[in-house]
Amino acid sequence: MTDAILGQVALGYSPFIDRNRTVTATRLTVFPLRPDATLDASQLLRAVGSVWPADGARVSLNVASESLLQDLLKAEPTINVMIEVPAFMASDPANIEPLLALHKHGNTMLLKGRPLKELPREVLPCFKYSIIDLVDDRRATEGPHAPNGAVRSISHVQAGIASIAEMEASFNRGAAAVLGWPIDDAVAMSTAGGKPAGQTDLQVIVELINRVDKQEPIEKLEGTLKRDPSLAFKLMRYINSPAFGLSVEISSFRHAIMMLGYQRLKRWLALLLATASKDTNLKPVMFAAVRRGLLMEELVRGSGDDEMRNEMFICGVFSLLDRMFKQPFADLMRTIPVPQRVFQALVENTGPYQPYFDLVKAVESESLFDFRAAADNLMMSVSEINRAQLRALTTAAELD
C-alpha cells in the first residue's frame, strides 16, 4: 500500500445495517486534506480493492471531493463498489453520460441529499437508493401525512441514526437500511428484566478470562468451557480463521493453549466476550467492538511491543462492554481482569491508550475535524492511520 493518496486524504468508516441487524456493506468516507489537491482515482480504487476485492463484500464510497468523484464516475470500479453521488451532481446534465455508463457497468449508485431541482429523467433508474439524513426526513418530523414532496420513488437509507429506537422507527417508515453506529442506548433496548442478553454465556467467558489470567491448569479451563459447547465452537472458529495466521489447524481447546499460550489466548477470549450476545439489537455493537479492537491494535503495530498491541486490542474490544452488561466500566472491571493501561482508558478516560481511543471514535464518526485533532495529538501521519484502518478492515473481513 504505497499509493500517495493515503497521505492526501482522511478515511472514516461506518456500516450499512438492515432490518435484521445484519451489516450488509461498509461505507468508506474519503476527505481530501487539501481542497486544491489532485487526487488519483485509480490509487483510491487500488486501496479499496485491497480490502474489498471484486469477489468480496460491498463497500460504498462517500467522497468529499467533487473532482475525485468525477474521476470515479468515469472509472470502472468492480461491481461490489457502490458510489454515493450528491444530488447537485446527479442533477447536472454534464454527468448524465458517466452516470449511465456506471449504471450499465453494474455498479450500485446512491443519491445523497435532497435535490434542489428535478433530476434528468434518464438518470433516475441509475440510483438504487437515496441517503436521507434523519434531521432532513420530513416523514420523521411531520409523520405519515407528510406533503407530496416527501413521496419517494426509490428505496432509502437512513443516515444520522444514533440509537436503537431511531433505527426501529426508520425501518417502520420503510428504510432499506440505516447508516452508522446506533449504539447510544443499545443497553436499555437489549435487556429484559434488567439482565443483559446472553447472561449465562457472558458469565462463562468472564470466568474463563479470570482463569486464564491466573494461568490455571488446562483441565480447569476445559471444564469451564464445556459448560457451553457453542462457545467452544465459536472460539475454535476464531482461532482457525485466516485473521489469526496460524499454519496448523487448532483441533481442541487444549491444543489452542499449547500453541498460543495464556496471553495470546486471552485476547481471543476478549473477542469472544464482546461477540457472545444472542440479542439481535446488539449486532451493531458487537460489530463496532471488534473493529475498534482491530484498529487500535493496528495503530501500534509498528511499535514492536507485542504486549502493547494485545492490550490495545483488548481495550478496543472491551470498549462497549458497558452497553452489553448494562453496567458502568468501574463495576465491570471488578470482575473482568484487564491491564492497568486498559483500565485507565475505559474507567478513567486517561492514560496512554486514551488518545488512540479518541482517534478510533473520530474515524467512526467520519469527522475530519476530530480526525485531524486526534492525529495531531498522537503525532501520527495520516498515511500511517489510513494504512492501519485498511489493515484492520481487511482482518475484520476475514473474521466475518
Side-chain angles (χ1 to χ4, degrees):
M1 299 180 196
T2 59
D3 286 337
I5 194 171
L6 294 181
Q8 299 172 311
V9 298
L11 301 179
Y13 59 78
S14 57
F16 284 77
I17 302 166
D18 69 12
R19 63 178 60 249
N20 296 319
R21 310 307 191 265
T22 300
V23 175
T24 59
T26 299
R27 178 195 227 188
L28 188 70
T29 296
V30 183
F31 293 104
L33 297 178
R34 290 175 44 202
D36 59 339
T38 300
L39 303 175
D40 190 323
S42 62
Q43 289 184 8
L44 176 61
L45 291 177
R46 277 198 298 272
V48 169
S50 70
V51 182
W52 297 277
D55 58 351
R58 294 192 303 164
V59 58
S60 181
L61 297 184
N62 174 36
V63 178
S65 164
E66 184 176 353
S67 60
L68 178 57
L69 187 51
Q70 290 278 9
D71 290 343
L72 285 172
L73 292 179
K74 296 170 185 174
E76 290 191 354
T78 55
I79 60 172
N80 63 317
V81 175
M82 304 185 291
I83 305 292
E84 299 180 23
V85 182
F88 77 91
M89 289 182 64
S91 302
D92 188 344
N95 291 322
I96 292 177
E97 187 174 336
L99 289 173
L100 291 175
L102 200 59
H103 178 61
K104 184 178 180 181
H105 186 251
N107 294 90
T108 296
M109 282 180 283
L110 299 91
L111 181 65
K112 190 172 64 174
R114 184 182 298 170
L116 298 179
K117 61 179 181 179
E118 190 173 348
L119 268 62
R121 185 179 301 273
E122 304 97 308
V123 305
L124 284 175
C126 296
F127 294 98
K128 186 171 183 178
Y129 304 106
S130 60
I131 298 177
I132 301 175
D133 198 281
L134 184 61
V135 297
D136 297 325
D137 191 344
R138 285 177 286 178
R139 290 189 178 186
T141 57
E142 301 176 29
H145 303 297
N148 291 334
V151 175
R152 295 173 185 139
S153 57
I154 59 175
S155 298
H156 76 285
V157 173
Q158 192 91 77
I161 294 296
S163 69
I164 298 296
E166 290 176 351
M167 180 170 66
E168 287 278 14
S170 294
F171 287 134
N172 288 338
R173 290 191 300 273
V178 298
L179 184 57
W181 305 92
I183 60 177
D184 282 1
D185 66 352
V187 174
M189 295 297 294
S190 67
T191 57
K195 293 184 179 181
Q199 180 73 47
T200 302
D201 296 348
L202 298 174
Q203 288 176 341
V204 170
I205 303 170
V206 168
E207 183 179 340
L208 270 172
I209 291 174
N210 275 285
R211 291 185 183 278
V212 169
D213 191 61
K214 297 172 184 175
Q215 298 195 14
E216 292 189 358
I218 295 175
E219 290 74 17
K220 288 191 176 182
L221 300 179
E222 285 185 317
T224 302
L225 192 61
K226 286 176 181 176
R227 285 163 46 190
D228 195 323
S230 66
L231 291 182
F233 171 79
K234 193 171 184 180
L235 179 61
M236 291 300 103
R237 188 183 66 186
Y238 276 144
I239 292 174
N240 284 307
S241 71
F244 204 79
L246 291 178
S247 57
V248 297
E249 183 175 350
I250 300 298
S251 57
S252 68
F253 190 57
R254 179 181 293 268
H255 188 198
I257 296 174
M258 291 172 59
M259 290 292 296
L260 308 175
Y262 284 88
Q263 289 307 309
R264 290 184 72 195
L265 180 61
K266 189 175 178 181
R267 60 176 274 141
W268 291 95
L269 287 172
L271 178 61
L272 193 63
L273 179 62
T275 58
S277 176
K278 297 179 175 65
D279 189 286
T280 55
N281 278 329
L282 282 174
K283 281 186 179 181
V285 182
M286 293 186 286
F287 186 88
V290 172
R291 277 141 189 80
R292 283 184 175 185
L294 293 170
L295 178 52
M296 289 189 74
E297 177 187 28
E298 290 296 342
L299 288 170
V300 295
R301 180 164 293 281
S303 68
D305 186 337
D306 288 342
E307 182 180 13
M308 185 180 186
R309 288 202 298 269
N310 283 328
E311 288 185 6
M312 289 276 278
F313 176 83
I314 290 172
C315 185
V317 166
F318 277 5
S319 66
L320 293 168
L321 285 186
D322 58 334
R323 289 162 169 78
M324 295 181 65
F325 279 82
K326 199 182 179 184
Q327 294 180 46
F329 280 116
D331 294 340
L332 282 171
M333 296 302 112
R334 294 193 186 103
T335 58
I336 304 173
V338 296
Q340 179 62 23
R341 292 179 290 191
V342 175
F343 182 92
Q344 290 174 328
L346 298 182
V347 178
E348 301 171 352
N349 297 316
T350 61
Y353 295 165
Q354 185 61 40
Y356 293 95
F357 192 31
D358 290 339
L359 175 59
V360 170
K361 289 187 285 187
V363 167
E364 288 180 353
S365 65
E366 300 168 293
S367 166
L368 178 58
F369 176 83
D370 293 339
F371 182 103
R372 285 182 183 273
D376 290 344
N377 194 24
L378 284 169
M379 293 186 289
M380 287 186 70
S381 71
V382 170
S383 59
E384 283 182 280
I385 296 170
N386 288 335
R387 287 182 172 86
Q389 285 193 62
L390 295 178
R391 289 195 303 266
L393 290 167
T394 300
T395 304
E398 293 172 347
L399 283 175
D400 292 341

Short mmCIF file of all heavy atoms in Angstrom, two decimals, residues 350-390:
data_model
loop_
_atom_site.label_atom_id
_atom_site.label_comp_id
_atom_site.label_asym_id
_atom_site.label_seq_id
_atom_site.Cartn_x
_atom_site.Cartn_y
_atom_site.Cartn_z
N THR A 350 -8.32 8.20 30.83
CA THR A 350 -6.98 8.77 30.89
C THR A 350 -5.98 7.72 30.40
O THR A 350 -6.36 6.66 29.91
CB THR A 350 -6.60 9.18 32.33
OG1 THR A 350 -6.62 8.01 33.17
CG2 THR A 350 -7.57 10.21 32.90
N GLY A 351 -4.70 8.03 30.54
CA GLY A 351 -3.66 7.05 30.27
C GLY A 351 -3.18 7.09 28.83
O GLY A 351 -3.71 7.81 27.98
N PRO A 352 -2.16 6.28 28.53
CA PRO A 352 -1.52 6.33 27.21
C PRO A 352 -2.39 5.82 26.07
O PRO A 352 -2.12 6.13 24.91
CB PRO A 352 -0.28 5.43 27.40
CG PRO A 352 -0.64 4.52 28.53
CD PRO A 352 -1.48 5.33 29.44
N TYR A 353 -3.45 5.03 26.37
CA TYR A 353 -4.29 4.49 25.30
C TYR A 353 -5.44 5.42 24.94
O TYR A 353 -6.08 5.24 23.89
CB TYR A 353 -4.85 3.13 25.69
CG TYR A 353 -3.82 2.04 25.85
CD1 TYR A 353 -4.13 0.84 26.49
CD2 TYR A 353 -2.51 2.21 25.40
CE1 TYR A 353 -3.18 -0.16 26.64
CE2 TYR A 353 -1.56 1.23 25.56
CZ TYR A 353 -1.90 0.04 26.19
OH TYR A 353 -0.96 -0.94 26.34
N GLN A 354 -5.74 6.40 25.80
CA GLN A 354 -6.89 7.26 25.55
C GLN A 354 -6.79 8.03 24.22
O GLN A 354 -7.78 8.12 23.49
CB GLN A 354 -7.07 8.24 26.71
CG GLN A 354 -8.31 9.12 26.62
CD GLN A 354 -9.60 8.31 26.60
OE1 GLN A 354 -9.71 7.32 27.31
NE2 GLN A 354 -10.55 8.71 25.76
N PRO A 355 -5.62 8.59 23.84
CA PRO A 355 -5.55 9.30 22.56
C PRO A 355 -5.85 8.40 21.36
O PRO A 355 -6.43 8.86 20.37
CB PRO A 355 -4.11 9.81 22.53
CG PRO A 355 -3.69 9.87 23.95
CD PRO A 355 -4.37 8.72 24.61
N TYR A 356 -5.45 7.13 21.44
CA TYR A 356 -5.76 6.19 20.36
C TYR A 356 -7.26 5.93 20.30
O TYR A 356 -7.85 5.83 19.21
CB TYR A 356 -5.01 4.87 20.56
CG TYR A 356 -3.52 4.99 20.43
CD1 TYR A 356 -2.72 5.17 21.55
CD2 TYR A 356 -2.91 4.93 19.18
CE1 TYR A 356 -1.34 5.29 21.44
CE2 TYR A 356 -1.52 5.05 19.06
CZ TYR A 356 -0.75 5.22 20.19
OH TYR A 356 0.60 5.34 20.07
N PHE A 357 -7.88 5.81 21.47
CA PHE A 357 -9.32 5.58 21.53
C PHE A 357 -10.07 6.78 20.94
O PHE A 357 -11.06 6.63 20.22
CB PHE A 357 -9.73 5.34 22.98
CG PHE A 357 -11.13 4.82 23.16
CD1 PHE A 357 -11.73 4.02 22.19
CD2 PHE A 357 -11.85 5.13 24.29
CE1 PHE A 357 -13.02 3.54 22.36
CE2 PHE A 357 -13.13 4.65 24.48
CZ PHE A 357 -13.72 3.87 23.51
N ASP A 358 -9.57 8.00 21.21
CA ASP A 358 -10.19 9.20 20.62
C ASP A 358 -10.10 9.16 19.10
O ASP A 358 -11.05 9.56 18.40
CB ASP A 358 -9.49 10.46 21.15
CG ASP A 358 -9.78 10.72 22.61
OD1 ASP A 358 -10.79 10.20 23.12
OD2 ASP A 358 -8.98 11.44 23.25
N LEU A 359 -8.98 8.68 18.58
CA LEU A 359 -8.82 8.60 17.13
C LEU A 359 -9.81 7.59 16.53
O LEU A 359 -10.43 7.86 15.49
CB LEU A 359 -7.39 8.20 16.77
CG LEU A 359 -7.11 7.95 15.28
CD1 LEU A 359 -7.43 9.19 14.45
CD2 LEU A 359 -5.67 7.53 15.07
N VAL A 360 -9.98 6.46 17.19
CA VAL A 360 -10.92 5.45 16.69
C VAL A 360 -12.33 6.02 16.63
O VAL A 360 -13.06 5.83 15.65
CB VAL A 360 -10.88 4.19 17.59
CG1 VAL A 360 -12.02 3.24 17.24
CG2 VAL A 360 -9.54 3.48 17.43
N LYS A 361 -12.73 6.76 17.65
CA LYS A 361 -14.07 7.36 17.65
C LYS A 361 -14.20 8.43 16.57
O LYS A 361 -15.29 8.59 15.98
CB LYS A 361 -14.38 7.93 19.04
CG LYS A 361 -14.60 6.84 20.10
CD LYS A 361 -15.07 7.39 21.42
CE LYS A 361 -13.96 8.05 22.17
NZ LYS A 361 -14.36 8.44 23.55
N ALA A 362 -13.12 9.14 16.28
CA ALA A 362 -13.15 10.13 15.20
C ALA A 362 -13.33 9.45 13.86
O ALA A 362 -14.07 9.93 12.99
CB ALA A 362 -11.86 10.95 15.21
N VAL A 363 -12.66 8.32 13.66
CA VAL A 363 -12.81 7.54 12.42
C VAL A 363 -14.25 7.07 12.28
O VAL A 363 -14.86 7.16 11.20
CB VAL A 363 -11.84 6.36 12.43
CG1 VAL A 363 -12.18 5.37 11.32
CG2 VAL A 363 -10.40 6.84 12.26
N GLU A 364 -14.83 6.54 13.35
CA GLU A 364 -16.21 6.05 13.31
C GLU A 364 -17.22 7.16 13.03
O GLU A 364 -18.22 6.93 12.35
CB GLU A 364 -16.57 5.38 14.63
CG GLU A 364 -15.91 4.04 14.88
CD GLU A 364 -16.32 3.44 16.20
OE1 GLU A 364 -17.01 4.11 16.99
OE2 GLU A 364 -15.95 2.28 16.44
N SER A 365 -16.96 8.34 13.57
CA SER A 365 -17.91 9.45 13.38
C SER A 365 -17.72 10.13 12.04
O SER A 365 -18.50 11.02 11.67
CB SER A 365 -17.75 10.47 14.50
OG SER A 365 -16.47 11.08 14.44
N GLU A 366 -16.67 9.72 11.28
CA GLU A 366 -16.39 10.29 9.96
C GLU A 366 -16.28 11.82 10.04
O GLU A 366 -16.83 12.54 9.23
CB GLU A 366 -17.46 9.86 8.96
CG GLU A 366 -17.55 8.35 8.80
CD GLU A 366 -18.77 7.89 8.03
OE1 GLU A 366 -19.89 8.07 8.55
OE2 GLU A 366 -18.60 7.37 6.93
N SER A 367 -15.53 12.27 11.05
CA SER A 367 -15.35 13.71 11.28
C SER A 367 -13.92 14.11 10.95
O SER A 367 -12.97 13.68 11.62
CB SER A 367 -15.65 14.04 12.76
OG SER A 367 -15.19 15.33 13.09
N LEU A 368 -13.76 14.92 9.91
CA LEU A 368 -12.43 15.37 9.51
C LEU A 368 -11.78 16.21 10.61
O LEU A 368 -10.59 16.07 10.89
CB LEU A 368 -12.51 16.18 8.21
CG LEU A 368 -11.19 16.76 7.70
CD1 LEU A 368 -10.16 15.67 7.46
CD2 LEU A 368 -11.43 17.56 6.42
N PHE A 369 -12.54 17.09 11.26
CA PHE A 369 -12.00 17.93 12.32
C PHE A 369 -11.46 17.07 13.46
O PHE A 369 -10.33 17.28 13.93
CB PHE A 369 -13.08 18.88 12.85
CG PHE A 369 -12.63 19.73 14.00
CD1 PHE A 369 -11.91 20.90 13.79
CD2 PHE A 369 -12.93 19.34 15.31
CE1 PHE A 369 -11.49 21.67 14.86
CE2 PHE A 369 -12.50 20.11 16.39
CZ PHE A 369 -11.78 21.28 16.16
N ASP A 370 -12.26 16.11 13.93
CA ASP A 370 -11.82 15.24 15.03
C ASP A 370 -10.66 14.35 14.61
O ASP A 370 -9.76 14.06 15.41
CB ASP A 370 -12.98 14.39 15.53
CG ASP A 370 -14.07 15.21 16.19
OD1 ASP A 370 -13.77 16.34 16.63
OD2 ASP A 370 -15.22 14.74 16.27
N PHE A 371 -10.67 13.91 13.35
CA PHE A 371 -9.58 13.09 12.82
C PHE A 371 -8.26 13.86 12.89
O PHE A 371 -7.24 13.36 13.37
CB PHE A 371 -9.90 12.69 11.38
CG PHE A 371 -8.88 11.79 10.73
CD1 PHE A 371 -9.13 10.44 10.57
CD2 PHE A 371 -7.68 12.30 10.24
CE1 PHE A 371 -8.19 9.61 9.96
CE2 PHE A 371 -6.74 11.48 9.63
CZ PHE A 371 -7.00 10.12 9.49
N ARG A 372 -8.29 15.10 12.40
CA ARG A 372 -7.07 15.92 12.42
C ARG A 372 -6.57 16.14 13.85
O ARG A 372 -5.37 16.02 14.14
CB ARG A 372 -7.35 17.28 11.78
CG ARG A 372 -7.46 17.28 10.26
CD ARG A 372 -7.69 18.72 9.80
NE ARG A 372 -7.88 18.85 8.39
CZ ARG A 372 -6.91 19.00 7.49
NH1 ARG A 372 -5.65 19.00 7.91
NH2 ARG A 372 -7.17 19.14 6.21
N ALA A 373 -7.50 16.46 14.75
CA ALA A 373 -7.11 16.75 16.14
C ALA A 373 -6.49 15.52 16.80
O ALA A 373 -5.46 15.62 17.48
CB ALA A 373 -8.33 17.23 16.93
N ALA A 374 -7.11 14.36 16.58
CA ALA A 374 -6.60 13.13 17.20
C ALA A 374 -5.26 12.73 16.61
O ALA A 374 -4.35 12.29 17.32
CB ALA A 374 -7.62 12.01 17.04
N ALA A 375 -5.12 12.89 15.29
CA ALA A 375 -3.85 12.55 14.64
C ALA A 375 -2.73 13.46 15.13
O ALA A 375 -1.61 13.00 15.40
CB ALA A 375 -4.00 12.65 13.13
N ASP A 376 -3.02 14.75 15.26
CA ASP A 376 -2.02 15.69 15.76
C ASP A 376 -1.63 15.36 17.20
O ASP A 376 -0.45 15.45 17.57
CB ASP A 376 -2.55 17.13 15.69
CG ASP A 376 -2.67 17.64 14.26
OD1 ASP A 376 -2.07 17.01 13.36
OD2 ASP A 376 -3.36 18.65 14.06
N ASN A 377 -2.62 14.97 18.00
CA ASN A 377 -2.35 14.64 19.40
C ASN A 377 -1.43 13.43 19.52
O ASN A 377 -0.57 13.36 20.41
CB ASN A 377 -3.68 14.38 20.13
CG ASN A 377 -3.53 14.37 21.63
OD1 ASN A 377 -2.59 14.97 22.18
ND2 ASN A 377 -4.43 13.70 22.31
N LEU A 378 -1.59 12.48 18.61
CA LEU A 378 -0.75 11.28 18.61
C LEU A 378 0.55 11.47 17.85
O LEU A 378 1.44 10.61 17.91
CB LEU A 378 -1.53 10.11 17.98
CG LEU A 378 -2.59 9.46 18.85
CD1 LEU A 378 -3.44 8.50 18.01
CD2 LEU A 378 -1.95 8.70 20.01
N MET A 379 0.62 12.56 17.09
CA MET A 379 1.78 12.82 16.22
C MET A 379 1.99 11.66 15.24
O MET A 379 3.12 11.21 15.00
CB MET A 379 3.04 13.08 17.05
CG MET A 379 2.98 14.39 17.83
SD MET A 379 4.52 14.82 18.68
CE MET A 379 4.52 13.58 19.97
N MET A 380 0.87 11.18 14.71
CA MET A 380 0.91 10.13 13.69
C MET A 380 0.61 10.73 12.33
O MET A 380 -0.22 11.65 12.22
CB MET A 380 -0.12 9.03 13.99
CG MET A 380 0.21 8.13 15.15
SD MET A 380 -0.97 6.75 15.29
CE MET A 380 -0.53 5.77 13.84
N SER A 381 1.24 10.21 11.30
CA SER A 381 0.96 10.70 9.96
C SER A 381 -0.38 10.14 9.48
O SER A 381 -0.82 9.07 9.91
CB SER A 381 2.07 10.27 9.00
OG SER A 381 2.01 8.88 8.76
N VAL A 382 -1.00 10.88 8.58
CA VAL A 382 -2.28 10.44 8.02
C VAL A 382 -2.12 9.12 7.28
O VAL A 382 -2.99 8.25 7.37
CB VAL A 382 -2.84 11.53 7.08
CG1 VAL A 382 -4.03 11.01 6.29
CG2 VAL A 382 -3.24 12.76 7.89
N SER A 383 -1.03 8.97 6.56
CA SER A 383 -0.84 7.72 5.82
C SER A 383 -0.73 6.53 6.76
O SER A 383 -1.25 5.44 6.46
CB SER A 383 0.40 7.81 4.92
OG SER A 383 1.56 8.07 5.68
N GLU A 384 -0.06 6.70 7.91
CA GLU A 384 0.02 5.62 8.90
C GLU A 384 -1.37 5.23 9.38
O GLU A 384 -1.69 4.04 9.50
CB GLU A 384 0.84 6.07 10.11
CG GLU A 384 2.33 6.09 9.96
CD GLU A 384 2.99 6.52 11.26
OE1 GLU A 384 3.04 7.74 11.54
OE2 GLU A 384 3.45 5.63 12.00
N ILE A 385 -2.17 6.23 9.69
CA ILE A 385 -3.51 5.97 10.22
C ILE A 385 -4.37 5.27 9.16
O ILE A 385 -5.08 4.31 9.45
CB ILE A 385 -4.17 7.28 10.68
CG1 ILE A 385 -3.39 7.87 11.85
CG2 ILE A 385 -5.63 7.05 11.06
CD1 ILE A 385 -3.80 9.28 12.22
N ASN A 386 -4.32 5.77 7.93
CA ASN A 386 -5.13 5.17 6.87
C ASN A 386 -4.72 3.73 6.58
O ASN A 386 -5.57 2.87 6.35
CB ASN A 386 -5.03 6.02 5.60
CG ASN A 386 -5.79 7.33 5.72
OD1 ASN A 386 -6.73 7.44 6.50
ND2 ASN A 386 -5.37 8.33 4.96
N ARG A 387 -3.43 3.47 6.59
CA ARG A 387 -2.97 2.09 6.37
C ARG A 387 -3.42 1.18 7.51
O ARG A 387 -3.80 0.03 7.28
CB ARG A 387 -1.45 2.06 6.20
CG ARG A 387 -0.99 2.62 4.86
CD ARG A 387 0.53 2.53 4.69
NE ARG A 387 0.90 2.91 3.33
CZ ARG A 387 1.12 4.15 2.93
NH1 ARG A 387 1.03 5.14 3.81
NH2 ARG A 387 1.44 4.42 1.68
N ALA A 388 -3.39 1.71 8.72
CA ALA A 388 -3.88 0.92 9.86
C ALA A 388 -5.36 0.61 9.70
O ALA A 388 -5.81 -0.51 9.97
CB ALA A 388 -3.63 1.68 11.16
N GLN A 389 -6.14 1.60 9.23
CA GLN A 389 -7.57 1.36 9.00
C GLN A 389 -7.79 0.25 7.98
O GLN A 389 -8.62 -0.65 8.19
CB GLN A 389 -8.23 2.64 8.50
CG GLN A 389 -8.46 3.70 9.54
CD GLN A 389 -9.41 4.76 9.01
OE1 GLN A 389 -10.56 4.48 8.69
NE2 GLN A 389 -8.92 5.99 8.91
N LEU A 390 -7.08 0.31 6.88
CA LEU A 390 -7.28 -0.67 5.81
C LEU A 390 -6.86 -2.06 6.27
O LEU A 390 -7.51 -3.05 5.95
CB LEU A 390 -6.52 -0.25 4.56
CG LEU A 390 -7.01 1.05 3.90
CD1 LEU A 390 -6.15 1.40 2.69
CD2 LEU A 390 -8.47 0.96 3.51
#
